[in-house]
Amino acid sequence: MNKIELLAPAGDLEKLKAAIDYGADAVYFGGEAFSLRAGAGNFTEEEMLEGIKYAHDRGRKCHLTLNIFPHNEDIEPIQKYLEHIKDFGIDAFIVSDPGTIMMVKEIIPNAEIHLSTQANMTNYMTARFWAQYGVKRVVMARELSLEEMRGVRDMIPAEMDTEAFIHGAMCISYSGRCLLSNFMIQRDANKGECAHPCRWKYSLVEEQRPGEEFPVEEDERGTYIMNSKDLCMIEHIPDLIASGISSAKIEGRMKSAFYVATIVGAYRKAIDAYYKDPENYKFNPAWLEEVKKVSHRDFTTGFYYGKAGNESQNYASSAYTRDYDFVGKVLDFDEATMIATVEQRNKMVLGDEIEVFGPYTDFWTQKLDYLKDEEGNDLESAPHPQQILKIRMDHPVKHNFMLRKRKEK
């Protein structure tokens, strides 16, 4: 049985390392241009080389997003960019545009091409078309059901892979082809600058009554008529695998390293548990509770079990649920003293109850009863961003373990 690939977002080098450490089989990231995520940290060439080495040294893969729809003025810069990075060792290029596919194939003849979800691949005939032009993998549109994905898998060449999003934000527009942001505030969604106007609050105005607003009411605050819940398929791993997809993709290049580590870690446990004993696999509710500990909207299964309806929308608010704060990342650990060197990410106070978690481990809860600064001075609190701290641990930890605490109500 070929094991499904767990593909994680890497908005910057820290997130790439977190994804790899917490169990991703592959990561996808963008360079400083052409990748549809202008708001992500993205990678300089030096960071890209370091990230690729980090992944390859651990037997993982790196996919580069090159999925804008270029205009004439973009062609020469893309060609120069490809010439510059062609020997970096990138495992695959995620591309939307036929012209860009042609440029990649001309400049890097052996490149593996993955068709981006932006290309709206919704049927097996389209997949067959792209197979003729050397596309190795198709990232299927979010609007497909599991049954439709199985149908695509059964009707395309055996050597072609399929990939699908399994977790993260959903777009109100058909696989991201939205012009609202361009129209309303001149931020080009297909150049990575989407302002997410689908999350905004709207009212109705009648043509002959300018300035007189009629709320589209769900409650007294109005409504968020285009605000989708977040996709979450962690409870449905067997169905995802039965659909025949080769790669399960997590959305979130603009999310934090804490988000990436938490989501990847939870899905890693669920996927590994399935493959360990498929016949007796049982979902562990703790995995769902884990993914709820990062900033998220309410969850939906999207289109996987049929057309998404009202239950997939959140009409009351576009706000995230944030029950936990990411408070620190372990840099080093002295097993003899059980003292960890921790980089602070949010305020901690002596006496706090914190949770500690790491790759391939279950979290534990402990009281913060030992808190010192880098020079060994006792602290009552750690309010300074990225302050280096000394914290005693109840159990051994390693580099890249993380600390979180529940927000006070």
Side-chain angles (χ1 to χ4, degrees):
M1 186 187 299
N2 290 328
K3 198 169 184 179
I4 197 170
E5 174 188 81
L6 182 59
L7 177 58
D12 59 30
L13 188 58
E14 180 190 27
K15 297 168 194 176
L16 181 149
K17 292 180 177 180
I20 296 297
D21 289 351
Y22 279 76
D25 299 303
V27 294
Y28 64 100
F29 55 82
E32 293 179 295
F34 316 125
S35 75
L36 285 191
R37 281 299 179 273
N42 294 323
F43 285 69
T44 65
E45 292 171 9
E46 293 77 15
E47 290 169 336
M48 198 182 297
L49 286 167
E50 182 180 345
I52 292 168
K53 184 177 189 306
Y54 192 88
H56 287 176
D57 285 350
R58 291 156 180 80
R60 318 298 172 80
K61 292 184 176 181
C62 291
H63 305 168
L64 179 70
T65 56
L66 199 69
N67 56 350
I68 70 161
F69 292 95
H71 291 240
N72 288 340
E73 64 267 21
D74 298 315
I75 300 301
E76 187 175 344
I78 290 174
Q79 291 171 328
K80 289 180 178 178
Y81 182 65
L82 288 169
E83 287 284 357
H84 199 66
I85 65 171
K86 64 182 181 181
D87 297 321
F88 279 21
I90 294 161
D91 296 289
F93 292 82
I94 304 172
V95 185
S96 305
D97 173 69
T100 306
I101 291 175
M102 187 166 64
M103 287 187 281
V104 173
K105 299 295 279 185
E106 287 174 352
I107 294 169
I108 313 174
N110 296 321
E112 183 168 309
I113 305 293
H114 295 178
L115 187 73
S116 170
T117 190
Q118 294 293 117
N120 296 344
M121 206 300 299
T122 58
N123 63 79
Y124 64 83
M125 287 301 292
T126 302
R128 288 178 180 177
F129 169 86
W130 288 114
Q132 293 178 344
Y133 289 90
V135 172
K136 176 66 168 62
R137 177 185 294 184
V138 286
V139 185
M140 290 185 281
R142 286 177 171 89
E143 294 74 30
L144 295 188
S145 67
L146 290 168
E147 183 180 359
E148 288 176 303
M149 289 181 179
R150 179 75 259 177
V152 170
R153 174 66 276 168
D154 290 343
M155 298 296 289
I156 62 176
E159 63 273 13
M160 184 176 238
D161 294 337
T162 58
E163 178 179 304
F165 282 94
I166 61 164
H167 193 95
M170 296 282 281
C171 184
I172 194 67
S173 182
Y174 206 85
S175 283
R177 301 298 293 273
C178 182
L179 297 176
L180 270 178
S181 185
N182 307 51
F183 178 76
M184 297 180 78
I185 58 170
Q186 292 76 55
R187 281 174 53 176
D188 191 341
N190 279 312
K191 289 200 172 180
E193 297 175 345
C194 184
H196 306 290
C198 55
R199 309 291 181 191
W200 298 351
K201 182 177 178 180
Y202 289 90
S203 296
L204 181 67
V205 178
E206 199 275 326
E207 182 181 7
Q208 299 302 318
R209 294 171 176 84
E212 186 177 346
E213 293 187 358
F214 301 88
V216 187
E217 293 206 25
E218 290 293 328
D219 59 24
E220 68 279 1
R221 294 172 295 173
T223 185
Y224 298 82
I225 57 176
M226 296 182 285
N227 183 43
S228 173
K229 295 179 181 179
D230 283 353
L231 179 65
C232 178
M233 288 293 287
I234 197 165
E235 297 178 87
H236 307 282
I237 298 300
D239 289 350
L240 284 169
I241 292 170
S243 75
I245 61 172
S246 310
S247 181
K249 188 173 191 174
I250 297 167
E251 182 273 339
R253 277 193 284 151
M254 295 176 68
K255 303 289 190 180
S256 68
F258 171 57
Y259 178 96
V260 171
T262 303
I263 302 300
V264 169
Y267 276 91
R268 180 78 278 156
K269 290 174 185 175
I271 291 170
D272 287 352
Y274 175 83
Y275 282 103
K276 185 176 182 181
D277 189 359
E279 296 300 320
N280 298 299
Y281 172 79
K282 187 177 180 181
F283 175 73
N284 184 345
W287 301 330
L288 180 59
E289 291 307 308
E290 192 70 7
V291 301
K292 290 180 178 179
K293 290 181 179 179
V294 297
S295 177
H296 66 281
R297 301 180 184 92
D298 290 342
F299 290 135
T300 175
T301 55
F303 294 82
Y304 277 119
Y305 295 98
K307 299 296 184 184
N310 290 348
E311 73 285 350
S312 294
Q313 299 295 110
N314 183 351
Y315 295 118
S317 171
S318 63
Y320 286 91
T321 299
R322 294 182 174 92
D323 291 334
Y324 282 79
D325 281 330
F326 172 33
V327 295
K329 183 175 79 168
V330 173
L331 303 179
D332 200 5
F333 178 67
D334 185 340
E335 198 161 353
T337 63
M338 296 295 287
I339 302 299
T341 302
V342 174
E343 182 183 82
Q344 184 262 31
R345 292 303 178 93
N346 277 291
K347 185 178 180 180
M348 287 180 274
V349 177
L350 199 66
D352 277 345
E353 191 173 82
I354 60 172
E355 291 182 4
V356 183
F357 69 102
Y360 305 95
T361 67
D362 294 325
F363 75 89
W364 71 85
T365 303
Q366 68 173 64
K367 189 174 182 179
L368 188 59
D369 58 7
Y370 180 100
L371 185 63
K372 295 180 181 290
D373 65 16
E374 203 168 3
E375 286 74 40
N377 301 308
D378 289 330
L379 297 174
E380 290 293 322
S381 68
H384 305 300
Q386 296 186 293
Q387 184 176 5
I388 303 302
L389 307 169
K390 301 291 184 180
I391 296 175
R392 181 162 42 226
M393 293 293 170
D394 288 356
H395 303 282
V397 294
K398 296 179 180 178
H399 177 74
N400 251 1
F401 270 56
M402 295 188 182
L403 285 59
R404 64 191 175 210
K405 71 172 184 177
R406 184 182 288 275
K407 281 179 173 285
E408 296 180 6
K409 296 293 185 181

